[in-house]
Each structure stands twice: as C-alpha cells, then as structure tokens.
Amino acid sequence: MTTLLEVSGVSVSFDGFRAINNLSFQIGEAELRAVIGPNGAGKTTFMDIVTGKTRPDEGRVTYGEKSVSLLSLSESRIAQMGIGRKFQRPTVFEDQSVADNLMMALKKDRNPFAVLMFRPVAADRDRVAELADEIGLSAALHRKAGELSHGQKQWLEIGMLLAQEPRLLLVDEPAAGMTLAEREHTTDLLKEAAKTRAVVVVEHDMEFVRRLDCKVTVLHEGAVLAEGSLDHVTRNEQVIEVYLGR
Amino acid sequence: MSDMTLSAPARRPLVLRHPSVLVFLTILALFTLGVTLLSEGAGIGAISTSFVKTLGKTLCFCLVALAMDLVWGYCGILSLGHMAFFGLGGYAVGMWLMYERTRMIVADSLAAAELPPTAQEISDGIATQIFGVVGASEFPPVWAFAHSLPLQLAAVVVVPGLLALVFGWLAFRSRVTGVYLSILTQAMTLALSLYLFQNDSGLRGNNGLSGLQNLPGLDDIPQSAVSLWFFWASALALGVGYLFCAWLVSGKFGSVIRAIRDDETRVRFLGYPVEGFKLVVFTLTAVIASIAGALYYPQAGIINPAEIAPIASIYLAVWVAIGGRGRLYGAVIGAGFVSLLSTWFTGGQAPDLVLGPLRIQWVDWWTVLLGLSFVAVTLFAPKGIGGLVDLAARIKSPDRHGADLGPDAGALREREADQ
Amino acid sequence: MSKIIRHILFCLNCLLAAPALAQDAGAPIQELLQAHGDVIAKSSRKTIGPAIDALAASGLSAAQRVLERWQAKEMWRDEESGLFVFAEEIDRDTIRIFDPAGDTEIGAVADDGYKQLKPNSGIRGMIGAALVQFQLSAPDPATRATALDAIERDPEASHLAALRKAAGAEDDAALRTRKARLERLLTIRFDEDDAARIAAIESFAGDPAVDVRATLNPLIATRIEFAAEAPQGDDIARTLKPGGGALPRADAYALLVAAGVAPPAITRADKRDALVAQLRDGTVGGYRVAQLDTEAARDAAYARLAEAGRVAAVATDAEIDAALAAHVIFERFIGAPPAVALAARGALDAIETKVNLNRAADLVLDALSLASIYFLAAIGLAITFGVMGVINMAHGEFIMMGAYTGYVVQQIIPDYTISILVAIPLAFAVTFGAGVAMERLVIRWLRHRPLETLLATFGISIALQQIAKNIFGTQARPLTSPDWLDGSLVLNDIVSISYIRIAIFVLALLFLGLFLFVMNRTRIGLEVRAVTQNPRMAGSMGINPDRINMLTFGLGSGIAGIAGVAIGLYAKVTSEMGQDYIVQSFMTVVVGGVGNIWGALVGATLVGTMQKGIEWFNPSNTLAAQTYMILFIILFIQVRPRGIIALKGRAAEA
C-alpha cells in the first residue's frame, strides 16, 4: 500500500503553547484510520495543518505520488488536490437547497470564470441525485439545507465531501449529536468511502471507533502516543493513563 | 431565486425560471413608456423636464444599487466605495463632455480672429477655459484622451475596473474581511475624494466638472429631448444590468458567492479560490457602478469630489438595506424609493409637520428621519421592503440559528469565541 | 560777592520780566551749545553731525537732557542773545523757559523773542542714536533693556560705537550677554573692518535665531551678470546654466537682450500680432491667411517679412541658443565684500543644518500633539471595537456632542476656567448616557451582526449630525480656552508648541494611565477583560456580559465626549467635526491592532507622525498628505493585517 499523506516532524505553537509537538503520521491510499485522543491532544490542529489553515513552525507535509509539499499551498489549492474536510459542527450553506449544496461540491473546474459559464448537464444532475440517494436525502433535494435536521446536515456535508471526489477525507467527529440509527448509517458511509480513498476520522466516542473497525492512532500532547488496532491501543498502559488519569 | 430545478428535464430560459425578472422588466418597460408619454419632450407634458431628469437619475441610482446588492447582499462585501466608482465613471464621461464643448466654444471664438488658429492656440484656449479656475493653463496628463469619446468611454470601464482590481487584490489577498474591509474601502474612497479635492489633481479640484448637461454640437436640441434620451438610456442600462445580474446570481456562480457570504472558510475547503471570486464580483460591480455614473452625471450636469466622499457610498448601502438586500428587485426598490422620497423631502415640497408649538420642517429634519428609520429597518425589518414580497408570497426563510441573512464572516470576535 | 549781585539781578529780572539775563550763559553746556549754535539753529541734516557728536562726546551730565529736549522739540533759542533754553508752551503766546544747565525754571515769558528749534525726522533720528549711548549706560536696567530693544528693532551704524562703549561697563549678566550679542550683529552689518566682520559671522555659526539669519542674508545678496569668458575673482557666487531651475532660458536670454548684445526674441502672441498688422488682401509674407494655422508656417511668413525689412528681425531658437552658449552667466556678490559674503554663506549653511534639525524637533512635537489628539479620538473606538467587536460609526458624533456640551456650558458659565472644569465631566456624562442608551436600544439587538451594527450606528450618526445642525446651525461655534492655556511654550525661534496642545498631550497620557488602572487594577476591568476574551464563560461565572458591554460602550463614548471638549478647544465646533476625525480614528485602530490600548497608542503615534511627516515633504498640501497616508495604510494592512500589536495565538488564527 503506497503512502498518500506523510506528515513528519511537524510542530506548531500558539503563544508558547505547543499544540503539535514533533508529530509524524502516515496514511495509505485506501485506508480508514481513526484518530483519538483527549481534549487538547492536537487533533483539530493536525487537520488544520493538513488542510492549510494553520502553517506549522517546522516539519514537512507531503501528499500524493509526487510527494508535493502542502505547506506553501492555499486552502483552496489543497482542496482541489483532493483533500476534503468535514468540520466538527455541520457547515452546509443553509440558505441554499440541498441540490445547490451538492452541485457546488461536484468535482468541476473551480476557476471563477469557468464557474460563471458553468451550466449543469444531465450527467451532473444524475450525479447529484445519486449522491442524494447515497446520503438518504433524495426526498429533501429541493429543500433548503437550513431546514434539515442536525443529522441530515451531517450527511449532507459528507455527501458534499464525496461529491468533491477527494483522495483523502478528513472527518472531524462525524457522530456527534446523532441518534443510534444515524450513527450506523454514518459508519456505513465512511466504511464505504474508505474502500476507494483514504479516510481519517477524528472521534471521541470509543463505541463509534470500534464500529469503524480500523487502525487507530492515539494523539497526546501533540504527538503520537500509540498506533494499532483498537484493542491493541486500549491495552497500552500509557493510553490508559492518559485517558483515565493517574 | 436560488432554486435550481434539477427535476426538470431541460433547462428553461432564465426569465421563466425566475418570474421576478420578467415582472421587473415589464414594469420597467411600462414605466419608461409612461414617462415618455407624459413628458414634455415627446408626450403631453404632464411631467416636467427636470422631473424626467430626476427619474433618469433615479434609474442610474437603481443600477448602482444593483451593483451594491451584488457585492454586499450576495457576496457579503460591505463596500463603502462603490459611489467612488460611480463618480469615476462620471468624471470619465464628464472630461470628454467638457473638453469637447469647450473646444467648440474656443474654436468659434478663434475663428473670428484674423489668422486661423494653430493647434497649440486652440489647446491653450481650451486649457485656459477649463483650468482657469484652479490657476492653471496647461492640460494635466490625465486629460490626454479627453478629446476622444471612445477612449473616454473605455476609461469608464477601465479606470474603475483597474482601481477595483488592484485595491481588491490587495485587500482580499491579505484576507481582510467584514468591518475591517468596510473601513478599508471607506479609506480608499476618502483618499480618492481628498485627492480629487486638490487643485493639482488635474480635475479642477473642488470645482469639479460642470456644464455636463450640454451635449457638444447639439445645442439646438432642447433639454426636454436630451433628458428623454438619457432617461431611455438609463432605463435600458438598468434593464440590461438587471438581466445580467439575474443571470450571474442564478447559476453556480451565484451559489458560490452566496456561500462565500455565509461561510467563506467552508467555501475555501470546497476548493474554490475565494479571493478570486470576490475580486471578480468586486471589479464587475465597480464597472457597473461606473457605467451608472457615466449615465448619471450628464443628467445631473455637474460633478465634484464631494460626490465621491464616503458618505455617498454609505447612503448607497442604506438604500440597498432599506430595499432589502440579497434580492435584486429589493435593491432597485430601495434606491428608487429612498432617493425619490429624499428628493421630495429635501426639495421643500413636503408639507411641514406641526406638533403643537413645534413646527418640523422636512428640509431640516428629513435626514434625521432617514437615519432613524434606517436604524429601525436594521433592527426590525432586516429584509427591508423586499421582505413584504416574502410576506405576500408566504415564503418562510429557514432557521439559520439567529444569524440573519447577511454576511458576518468578519465577525472576528465571534470566531474567536467559537474556537 | 558776585553771587549776591547775581541774586539781586535775578530778582530784578523777575520784576522786569527780562529773563534772558537770569540764564547762566557761562555754563559748560551752554558754551558747548553756543560753539555749535549756528549749526544747531540751521538744523540741516548734512551739517548737524559734528554738533550732535560734540554733545554726545562732551561727557557733560546735562548733555543727555539737552539731546532729549532737542529731540522732543522743546529747545528754543533766544533770538537776541543766541542762548538756548528749554521751554514748554503755556498758551499760544507764552512759554515757560528753563535753563539747560540745571533744568531750573527761569519763568514764563512771551514767545516773541524765542525761536523754537524744530529738528526734522532725520535729525531726530541722529539725536536718538546719540542718545542711545546714554540710555545704554543708564543706571536703570529697564532703560538699558529698552535701549537694546530699540537697537534691535532698528539698528544703525552709529549704535555700534555706543554699544562697544557701553558693553564693558554692564554689570547685569543677562544684559551684558544681550549687549555682546547685539554688538556682534552690528559688527557684521556695519563694521568697516572685514576681518572683524568675518570673526563676528563665524561666532554665530549654528545659531538658528531669526535675527542672525536676517543679518546674514543681505550679505549674500547677488546680482546676475554675464560675460563672454568665465569670470575670475572671488566675488563670483556661482555660474548659472540657462534653462536650469534657477534661471529659465527665456530669462537668461532677456538678460542678453536687455544689455543690447542680442536681438530680441518675441512671443508667439507678438509674432501673430505682427503678422496681423502686415496682413494685406488676405496674404502676408507670401502666405495666404488660411495657411497660417501652424507655428512653422507663421515663422516662415515672419521670416520672409523680416527679409523684406517690414518687421524687425528676431532671434530664432538657434540664434538664442548660440547667444546663450557664447556667454557665461553668473551671480556676483553685491551685498558684501567677497570674503565676508563667503563667510556669511558658510555660516548660513551651518545655520540651515541647525534650522532643519530644529524643524525636525518641531515636527516631532507637532506629530506628538496630533498623535495625542488621534489617541483621544480613537481610544473610545478601540475600547468598543476591542471589547465588543462593534464599529461605532457614530463615534465622531459623540466627539461632536462633547464639544457642543462644552460650548453650551460656556454660554452659561462665563468664566472660562470654571466652565472647562465643568464641561469635561459634563461632556463625559452626556456622551456616556448617549452611549449607554445607544447600546441598550440598538447595538444589543444586533449582537454578532457587525456589518449591520456598523450601518445602524451610521444611521444614528447622520441623525445626530443633522440634529446638531438643526439646533446649533451650520456656522462654527467657538470653544474658548482659559487664558492660562493661551500662548505657546517657545523653545527657540523655530521650536514652539502651544499650551493647548501640551494640555491635550497631558490629557491623553492621563487617559492612558486611567485606562490601564481601570483595566488592570479594578474589579470592573477584570470583568471587562473576561467578557472580551470569552463572553460565554464570563457569563457562566456570574458576570453579566450585557451590563459589561453597556458600561464599556458608555465608557468609550464618554471618552469621546472628553476628546470632543479637547478638540473643540483648538479647533472650531461644528456639526461635522466628528467626521474629520472618524476616519483617522479608524485608521489608528486598524494600524495599531484591535482590542489593545497599546495598539491604539502605537497606531495614533504612527498615524500622527506619518501625517506630519508627509506634510514635511509636501508642506503646502494637507490634502495630499492625507491621501498618501491612507494609501500607506492600505498597503500597511498587506504586511500586518491585524495591526502592529496583534492578538497572537490560536484565537487570532480564526
């Protein structure tokens, strides 16, 4: 399995506080990975660095076959290269319809003038309908995103991510605030997605991580504490110490 | 207007997808026809020439309000500089009008001299006529193209376009958003108007350009006819502008810019170069504003740097807000309604309001009323007059968790609090 | 014996009313006067000199009195005896006379036998100059100072000797310095000896005082001359290049024409008039009128007329260039001998450097005072922006409200000191109230909608502005400062600063201190900081964020009101005064960085210094200075989008 994303020796500090401390991380091309860790472990900052929102003080972040460095690229450029991100809070464009949201996310030329001249053809509309079906929002296609329930918004956001056809998906706490049924649906979506691309899921909820049934990376104080199967890491002394306290 | 009908097998024309466009264009056409039939120049004379001019100018205001709505209501950039672009358009056209008319007058007066004038003498004559008021007698470099109408018309598009492009690039590149950006655009406007106030700016300082209502070579044609021409041109420009804006916001482009307004970070993570989109919208609307100005000032007859001052751009925002931003007809209604009402009140036509011993003269108190009603609209009717349409059509806007329609990407503090 | 006789005679004289006899004709002063009697009586400026000099040099105690009376036209001469007396007119025909020797009264007499001496102004001036030496050594220091003042006002060559004489004997240190300085100045102007003048000039090197420059400048006066060869001689100040900045080509040529060494050049207008005058049957010089619509054609036609001798030949451009090339044009010192002029130029150059340094110091003071005004105007804005994230567009109108409050207070309380002391807290109270009302009624309801807050506060701004216009009218109202704030602190001829500006500076410092104290040392400051950093958390800890926001807004507005009083003291109070400061205040906040008092301070300093600095390069144009400053700030934002003192860390990364 070839490596899609490699983060090595990355550190970043805010006002003297080291949020990420010499972090190294790798993920292959079609892999599902869960990242867990207590609050303040640097999970969100890690995602910020990969997606270009935060510039690290030192270290390297390379991506793809050609090992392109992501550090000098803008957020939109990184997204165009195939890294999609889902935020903790569902952020969909509530003033626009589900279809508009999905149409915007479809993998197309992002240049302003291309967008200006863009008119959807039948294939695009079919793809949108297909995605809506996948995330269970076919019936809500013409409703405004703001009218959806919290869980539906989460799915819409996942749908938008899928529409982008990313090679790497970064998902921040997808199950937060969901009902049990919704969680199951979400798990299926993520597992399905991971068959064709790399998916990194940041999550607190151990039950959810167990259901994902994948390799787990434990972050603590901005560095990797342990890595392996869920059972493996939960037996790790240090991990227990960090989670349960001394 | 945002609904993109996916279930339809084939795309219908824009006007069918958005009936409001058709309604608007019909009303505009009827209005134009009505004014023409009632005018002094081509009809029964029920509407005076000066009122035709007022209406023509109002249409120009409506056009610049459309531009403002596009950049603010749709893209979330509260620009306090679009009236500066409006003024630049007026200056560009005004320079040709003033040059050409002065040239004719000078040529006439020199034709009576014993020797035929040299090119230099004519040029000196024009320069003395135009720049005498600021104590200069030579043409500043900015007037290099003033002799040519096509070049000055090109300047209407190019100069504000370039200014917007450069300013926008600098501002958006450094990720200045929200109130910061508004203040910055206000500073740009102030800098421009202060620059033009100087006598050595080459545009006659605080005297500005005048006599623009007289078209060179058309002295024989009465103002009643000229005013109608400009009225028609303004109506046409507004119609075309409306159609263009409606087309712009109806497609994916409109979808993206509204998304930028609501959450530009998210749009960035979708892979859209947000700065590029903002720059396109900012520049495009600057050009629309400039075209509106180029049509407005020949009807107003005079332009001076005071017209470019930041306050004018803020009034523009007031019109759009009162009309209802985020909808094109809202901007047009706001600009038309408020500017006509303003003319009525400040023109001394409104009857005084007698409150016991107090006598409210509207010439003095209209601005107070406008300011306070603007506060009231912001507080109680954020959708403006256009919100009445929603009320009539029983459209309920989705619950957006307290964040009302409008940009707040610049809410620096809110973001910090959310971290 | 003779005394008795004299006494008797005196009594007789009184009785006989023949007072001339009572005069001491033998007194030394009278003798001296008599020695020059005819000259004095003749009163001619040309001849009077020796008489005045003799009096001045006599060393007689009465000499000063004589000169004074003479100057005041109070000296008369007995036509019969030729003796001089002092006299004052009693009525048209009668005068009371005094003996010059002791200034003793002789008595009232008819003026028939006396002739009043009426020195003209020239002579009075000469007398005055002679008197100076007496005044310079007068026992009363005040008189001596007055004499120095008089010399400084209108120095004359004759003063120099008097000063030199008087300088040594001076015992008052300050006056001695003044005398010595004045002596050197007069040496530069009037001394015959070049070496002495040069020494005096060099002693002033680097003294930026206006009188030094005024003394030196005439010495380096030059006259433009020309010659065929480059002139030799040390009185050549410099050679000039025609067409350069110092000597336009047309002026250079006019010089040659005036000296008659070159034919005249004429203007285009004159050439056209000449052609028009020669116009015959629609042609001139073989050209048809219609052809003469270019300068080249007109030149050709004129040349042809000149060939035919019908107009005077004029120089062509080539000839003008040749004539100019054939001559060297230069400036010759005419104000002083070359050595003195060169020394003066050297001294002036040194002074120029010093003056520039002083100007820079003055500029720094100006910039500081402007900065303190911006700081006062911006501090309230910075507080509300920093704590609440609210841009208050009506901030400028709060400044205006404060200023009008001061104006109204002055209408009621006429004493300026008391009225200012009342106005400052009252202005704070009024604008604090207005701010609190605005927060409760408007801003509170627009939480987290900053753009709408901006527009709503703008609506309030235009309403307030118009209300002020309706109440107070459009003309500017004065806010008069108390007497003790009038005038300036003068450090030297260049560096000075008005007391009002110092007061504003002190006020700004005071507010900085007060603000720091409130924020860092009080409970309310702690709560404000808590709400700034995390309103939700602060709320859950029992702090009422609404109350804090309201107080903060009121505080920011109140400070604006005080700033209004301060600004009104040195500028006029108008309904639009707020607008003059609001953009600069925004710039201050933006440049300095949000949410930080030091940011406002640094921002105000930078904006004030920048504005003054740009004005320094382009002093005539305040508008241009503001334009360039705003452009600079727009570019500055590129480098530091969050201002100079930016919040760092995770919060600022959003």
Side-chain angles (χ1 to χ4, degrees):
Chain A
M1 193 167 65
T2 51
T3 305
L4 180 64
L5 176 79
E6 177 164 8
V7 173
S8 58
V10 166
S11 296
V12 65
S13 49
F14 302 115
D15 265 348
F17 165 68
R18 284 217 139 186
I20 295 286
N21 189 7
N22 196 20
L23 175 76
S24 294
F25 179 88
Q26 284 186 353
I27 188 165
E29 247 173 80
E31 188 189 345
L32 181 60
R33 175 79 62 90
V35 175
I36 59 173
N39 277 326
K43 301 185 299 279
T44 304
T45 310
F46 160 68
M47 285 199 172
D48 285 348
I49 288 172
V50 174
T51 52
K53 196 178 174 196
T54 300
R55 304 262 171 249
D57 302 332
E58 55 188 73
R60 283 185 307 121
V61 179
T62 56
Y63 170 79
E65 293 83 16
K66 292 178 189 157
S67 291
V68 184
S69 169
L70 297 180
L71 295 184
S72 57
L73 299 180
S74 68
E75 293 104 309
S76 55
R77 194 73 206 100
I78 291 173
Q80 284 173 30
M81 287 179 67
I83 297 181
R85 175 171 184 186
K86 197 204 144 309
F87 286 85
Q88 214 161 327
R89 276 196 325 174
T91 44
V92 295
F93 301 107
E94 314 202 347
D95 192 38
Q96 306 192 33
S97 69
V98 171
D100 281 347
N101 270 292
L102 288 172
M103 187 64 86
M104 228 188 303
L106 274 191
K107 190 179 181 183
K108 295 281 169 191
D109 192 346
R110 263 30 173 165
N111 177 300
F113 296 102
V115 171
L116 191 57
M117 290 303 156
F118 174 83
R119 287 294 175 262
V121 294
D124 301 325
R125 275 182 291 247
D126 290 348
R127 175 82 185 118
V128 167
E130 192 185 309
L131 280 164
D133 191 43
E134 209 171 318
I135 56 176
L137 288 176
S138 286
L141 205 51
H142 298 295
R143 285 173 64 197
K144 292 213 169 179
E147 297 165 7
L148 301 179
S149 74
H150 180 81
Q152 285 175 314
K153 283 182 191 168
Q154 296 274 37
W155 290 335
L156 174 57
E157 202 180 359
I158 292 173
M160 287 167 74
L161 274 179
L162 297 177
Q164 277 178 267
E165 294 171 28
R167 297 179 62 196
L168 172 64
L169 245 171
L170 303 169
V171 189
D172 204 349
E173 300 201 23
M178 281 189 172
T179 62
L180 197 64
E182 283 172 338
R183 278 169 186 238
E184 275 171 18
H185 188 128
T186 308
T187 321
D188 294 344
L189 276 174
L190 292 174
K191 277 178 148 173
E192 183 60 32
K195 285 181 182 157
T196 49
R197 71 203 85 217
V199 178
V200 178
V201 181
V202 166
E203 187 53 76
H204 270 311
D205 186 338
M206 284 299 176
E207 265 320 294
F208 187 80
V209 173
R210 187 173 300 284
R211 212 170 279 146
L212 285 176
D213 186 26
C214 63
K215 192 172 168 187
V216 173
T217 301
V218 185
L219 288 190
H220 176 58
E221 290 180 349
V224 175
L225 189 67
E227 208 165 63
S229 73
L230 186 63
D231 291 332
H232 170 77
V233 297
T234 44
R235 279 195 297 272
N236 185 312
E237 281 295 319
Q238 279 178 296
V239 174
I240 294 167
E241 194 174 302
V242 162
Y243 264 88
L244 301 177
R246 271 157 247 261
Chain B
M1 258 196 264
S2 59
D3 287 21
M4 188 175 291
T5 318
L6 289 156
S7 50
R11 286 170 64 80
R12 293 173 295 158
L14 178 78
V15 286
L16 291 181
R17 273 183 288 135
H18 302 291
S20 71
V21 176
L22 202 58
V23 171
F24 175 80
L25 290 178
T26 312
I27 293 176
L28 181 65
L30 289 176
F31 174 71
T32 312
L33 189 68
V35 171
T36 307
L37 292 178
L38 293 175
S39 71
E40 283 177 358
I44 58 170
I47 297 180
S48 69
T49 297
S50 74
F51 195 62
V52 171
K53 283 191 178 183
T54 304
L55 291 176
K57 287 190 282 182
T58 307
L59 292 179
C60 296
F61 282 147
C62 293
L63 183 56
V64 70
L66 269 185
M68 183 68 186
D69 196 20
L70 205 56
V71 76
W72 178 33
Y74 282 88
C75 199
I77 303 165
L78 175 53
S79 160
L80 299 180
H82 269 60
M83 276 316 244
F85 300 127
F86 186 81
L88 281 180
Y91 265 105
V93 161
M95 280 161 77
W96 177 78
L97 285 170
M98 196 159 181
Y99 178 93
E100 193 58 21
R101 208 177 120 73
T102 314
R103 190 188 64 78
M104 287 180 170
I105 293 169
V106 169
D108 274 355
S109 72
L110 285 179
E114 290 89 345
L115 296 185
T118 64
Q120 187 63 42
E121 278 172 338
I122 293 177
S123 163
D124 287 350
I126 302 170
T128 314
Q129 279 275 318
I130 296 182
F131 301 109
V133 286
V134 290
S137 58
E138 276 174 29
F139 272 106
V142 286
W143 286 73
F145 305 120
H147 59 275
S148 154
L149 178 60
L151 286 177
Q152 284 301 124
L153 287 183
V156 169
V157 174
V158 173
V159 172
L162 266 183
L163 178 64
L165 199 66
V166 171
F167 177 84
W169 186 77
L170 288 174
F172 301 140
R173 194 188 67 98
S174 51
R175 300 256 171 108
V176 178
T177 54
V179 285
Y180 251 74
L181 184 61
S182 302
I183 296 300
L184 214 56
T185 53
Q186 191 192 19
M188 176 201 78
T189 313
L190 185 70
L192 190 67
S193 80
L194 286 178
Y195 177 75
L196 290 176
F197 262 119
Q198 298 172 57
N199 281 344
D200 48 9
S201 69
L203 290 166
R204 307 204 336 148
N206 62 349
N207 305 287
L209 308 179
S210 54
L212 310 182
Q213 73 278 21
N214 305 309
L215 299 186
L218 299 177
D219 290 337
D220 298 338
I221 295 168
Q223 280 290 315
S224 60
V226 174
S227 64
L228 263 185
W229 295 354
F230 273 103
F231 177 74
W232 291 334
S234 309
L236 183 68
L238 179 59
V240 172
Y242 194 92
L243 212 53
F244 175 74
C245 292
W247 173 76
L248 201 75
V249 300
S250 70
K252 191 162 132 185
F253 190 85
S255 215
V256 173
I257 60 173
R258 275 179 294 150
I260 289 173
R261 171 193 73 194
D262 292 337
D263 191 341
E264 70 170 67
T265 316
R266 181 73 182 90
V267 177
R268 218 169 259 137
F269 287 118
L270 273 180
Y272 288 98
V274 168
E275 286 69 37
F277 278 85
K278 284 183 171 177
L279 198 54
V280 167
V281 173
F282 193 69
T283 309
L284 212 56
T285 52
V287 171
I288 295 175
S290 174
I291 291 171
L295 282 167
Y296 175 90
Y297 285 103
Q299 303 182 63
I302 183 164
I303 179 170
N304 60 51
E307 312 253 328
I308 286 180
I311 188 100
S313 295
I314 300 180
Y315 273 118
L316 179 61
V318 171
W319 296 342
V320 174
I322 287 184
R325 68 209 130 98
R327 59 183 89 214
L328 296 176
Y329 58 88
V332 174
I333 292 171
F337 177 71
V338 180
S339 72
L340 281 179
L341 205 62
S342 210
T343 313
W344 188 62
F345 274 121
T346 54
Q349 284 146 306
D352 291 352
L353 183 67
V354 181
L355 296 171
L358 276 174
R359 198 177 171 81
I360 303 284
Q361 286 178 318
W362 286 115
V363 178
D364 289 339
W365 289 92
W366 155 244
T367 317
V368 179
L369 179 72
L370 178 65
L372 295 180
S373 51
F374 178 50
V375 177
V377 164
T378 317
L379 280 176
F380 305 116
K383 289 179 177 179
I385 302 172
L388 295 175
V389 177
D390 286 358
L391 223 58
R394 292 166 193 278
I395 298 170
K396 257 188 78 191
S397 63
D399 175 18
R400 298 180 66 245
H401 300 288
D404 220 310
L405 184 69
D408 61 358
L412 185 66
R413 263 180 35 76
E414 187 195 14
R415 305 219 139 205
E416 285 168 7
D418 282 346
Q419 285 292 315
Chain C
M1 184 68 197
S2 64
K3 242 184 189 171
I4 297 169
I5 296 170
R6 240 185 243 164
H7 192 75
I8 295 169
L9 279 174
F10 177 74
C11 293
L12 273 173
N13 274 338
C14 292
L15 289 171
L16 292 171
L21 294 175
Q23 219 174 328
D24 185 357
I29 186 72
Q30 189 63 264
E31 278 178 355
L32 187 63
L33 284 170
Q34 290 307 320
H36 298 277
D38 293 335
V39 178
I40 293 173
K42 193 178 164 203
S43 252
S44 160
R45 199 177 166 185
K46 287 188 186 123
T47 51
I48 200 80
I52 297 174
D53 288 348
L55 273 170
S58 66
L60 295 174
S61 60
Q64 184 184 358
R65 196 162 58 237
V66 167
L67 286 169
E68 281 166 2
R69 294 297 174 98
W70 185 11
Q71 190 185 30
K73 299 184 191 171
E74 284 174 0
M75 197 148 82
W76 297 57
R77 191 178 197 199
D78 186 332
E79 285 176 342
E80 208 173 300
S81 64
L83 292 178
F84 292 93
V85 294
F86 301 156
E88 42 190 57
E89 283 179 88
I90 299 171
D91 56 40
R92 273 195 57 164
D93 301 320
T94 332
I95 53 174
R96 176 172 293 121
I97 57 173
F98 304 85
D99 187 348
D103 204 16
T104 47
E105 183 172 342
I106 301 170
V109 295
D111 67 357
D112 294 347
Y114 292 86
K115 187 173 185 296
Q116 186 181 10
L117 298 177
K118 291 181 176 166
N120 61 28
S121 62
I123 296 175
R124 285 204 306 278
M126 292 168 76
I127 300 171
L131 271 172
V132 160
Q133 66 158 304
F134 292 105
Q135 289 162 358
L136 282 176
S137 31
D140 178 16
T143 313
R144 301 203 294 272
T146 315
L148 286 174
D149 288 345
I151 297 176
E152 274 168 3
R153 249 196 325 275
D154 189 15
E156 280 177 31
S158 59
H159 293 153
L160 182 54
L163 259 176
R164 283 185 179 158
K165 215 176 285 172
E170 182 61 56
D171 49 5
D172 181 315
L175 281 176
R176 187 159 59 233
T177 320
R178 270 187 78 186
K179 277 184 181 172
R181 179 184 161 82
L182 201 53
E183 188 265 327
R184 284 184 292 145
L185 280 176
L186 291 187
T187 304
I188 295 174
R189 280 183 75 156
F190 299 115
D191 201 303
E192 307 281 316
D193 179 19
D194 283 355
R197 295 176 81 178
I198 291 169
I201 288 170
E202 279 163 0
S203 73
F204 276 113
D207 186 338
V210 172
D211 55 355
V212 177
R213 281 178 281 160
T215 307
L216 290 177
N217 272 325
L219 300 185
I220 59 164
T222 56
R223 185 174 58 219
I224 299 179
E225 295 176 5
F226 66 89
E229 293 295 317
Q232 300 301 315
D234 46 8
D235 60 345
I236 307 304
R238 59 171 175 169
T239 54
L240 295 171
K241 203 168 164 288
L247 184 69
R249 185 166 167 275
D251 290 3
Y253 191 71
L255 210 64
L256 301 184
V257 174
V261 300
I266 61 174
T267 62
R268 285 189 170 149
D270 289 341
K271 191 176 275 187
R272 189 190 62 219
D273 292 345
L275 287 175
V276 169
Q278 295 291 333
L279 204 56
R280 301 282 181 276
D281 303 330
T283 60
V284 58
Y287 283 80
R288 276 177 293 110
V289 165
Q291 290 175 305
L292 296 177
D293 59 353
T294 63
E295 287 301 333
R298 290 184 184 181
D299 284 348
Y302 190 91
R304 227 182 265 181
L305 287 178
E307 269 172 41
R310 288 164 65 187
V311 290
V314 295
T316 62
D317 269 2
E319 285 165 356
I320 293 174
D321 285 338
L324 287 176
H327 292 93
V328 178
I329 301 177
F330 55 88
E331 283 180 342
R332 188 188 293 281
F333 283 123
I334 53 165
V340 177
L342 284 174
R345 192 153 77 178
L348 276 173
D349 285 349
I351 289 171
E352 185 67 23
T353 316
K354 194 75 176 274
V355 165
N356 282 338
L357 279 176
N358 274 295
R359 288 225 176 98
D362 194 47
L363 196 75
V364 169
L365 281 184
D366 269 3
L368 265 184
S369 84
L370 193 65
S372 48
I373 288 162
Y374 286 160
F375 178 70
L376 273 181
I379 178 172
L381 204 63
I383 294 171
T384 48
F385 197 11
V387 176
M388 303 168 64
V390 163
I391 284 265
N392 179 12
M393 294 289 272
H395 188 78
E397 277 55 52
F398 285 149
I399 293 178
M400 170 201 78
M401 269 167 96
Y404 272 120
T405 307
Y407 167 73
V408 171
V409 168
Q410 283 201 339
Q411 301 311 106
I412 299 164
I413 304 174
D415 185 295
Y416 291 140
T417 307
I418 297 173
S419 65
I420 289 297
L421 292 180
V422 173
I424 287 182
L426 197 63
F428 183 87
V430 167
T431 47
F432 182 90
V436 166
M438 186 167 149
E439 204 278 336
R440 293 214 64 146
L441 294 175
V442 178
I443 291 171
R444 178 166 300 182
W445 311 106
L446 295 171
R447 178 83 32 87
H448 298 323
R449 285 150 68 186
L451 290 186
E452 290 175 35
T453 313
L454 185 135
L455 286 174
T457 55
F458 166 72
I460 294 168
S461 150
I462 55 175
L464 285 178
Q465 214 179 103
Q466 185 64 41
I467 289 172
K469 211 175 274 172
N470 292 348
I471 295 175
F472 295 99
T474 44
Q475 79 269 41
R477 302 289 180 173
L479 191 56
T480 317
S481 55
D483 290 340
W484 48 271
L485 275 180
D486 279 342
S488 324
L489 178 67
V490 179
L491 294 181
N492 61 31
D493 283 349
I494 299 152
V495 186
S496 70
I497 181 167
S498 65
Y499 288 121
I500 289 197
R501 286 174 168 246
I502 296 177
I504 290 175
F505 183 70
V506 171
L507 199 62
L509 284 184
L510 218 62
F511 269 105
L512 177 64
L514 189 72
F515 183 85
L516 288 176
F517 175 78
V518 169
M519 284 307 251
N520 296 332
R521 290 271 181 279
T522 63
R523 172 79 197 169
I524 185 98
L526 182 72
E527 293 185 2
V528 167
R529 278 181 291 146
V531 171
T532 309
Q533 279 158 20
N534 193 337
R536 281 174 217 167
M537 194 64 189
S540 63
M541 292 179 72
I543 298 170
N544 180 356
D546 282 345
R547 186 178 139 266
I548 292 297
N549 281 341
M550 194 175 77
L551 285 181
T552 311
F553 204 85
L555 183 71
S557 309
I559 294 178
I562 295 178
V565 176
I567 290 170
L569 282 179
Y570 93 106
K572 287 270 186 274
V573 183
T574 68
S575 61
E576 276 148 13
M577 66 182 288
Q579 294 302 309
D580 298 341
Y581 292 93
I582 190 75
V583 174
Q584 268 84 354
S585 307
F586 283 145
M587 295 295 114
T588 297
V589 173
V590 167
V591 167
V594 181
N596 191 315
I597 186 88
W598 298 110
L601 188 69
V602 173
T605 312
L606 192 79
V607 171
T609 314
M610 280 257 315
Q611 184 157 346
K612 282 290 161 194
I614 297 170
E615 276 175 32
W616 159 266
F617 287 113
N618 189 2
S620 63
N621 211 328
T622 328
L623 286 178
Q626 291 191 11
T627 311
Y628 295 134
M629 188 187 71
I630 293 168
L631 288 182
F632 169 83
I633 288 169
I634 291 173
L635 291 178
F636 177 84
I637 297 291
Q638 301 301 306
V639 190
R640 299 211 63 139
R642 283 168 191 281
I644 298 174
I645 300 188
L647 293 175
K648 284 196 215 108
R650 205 170 174 183
E653 285 283 331

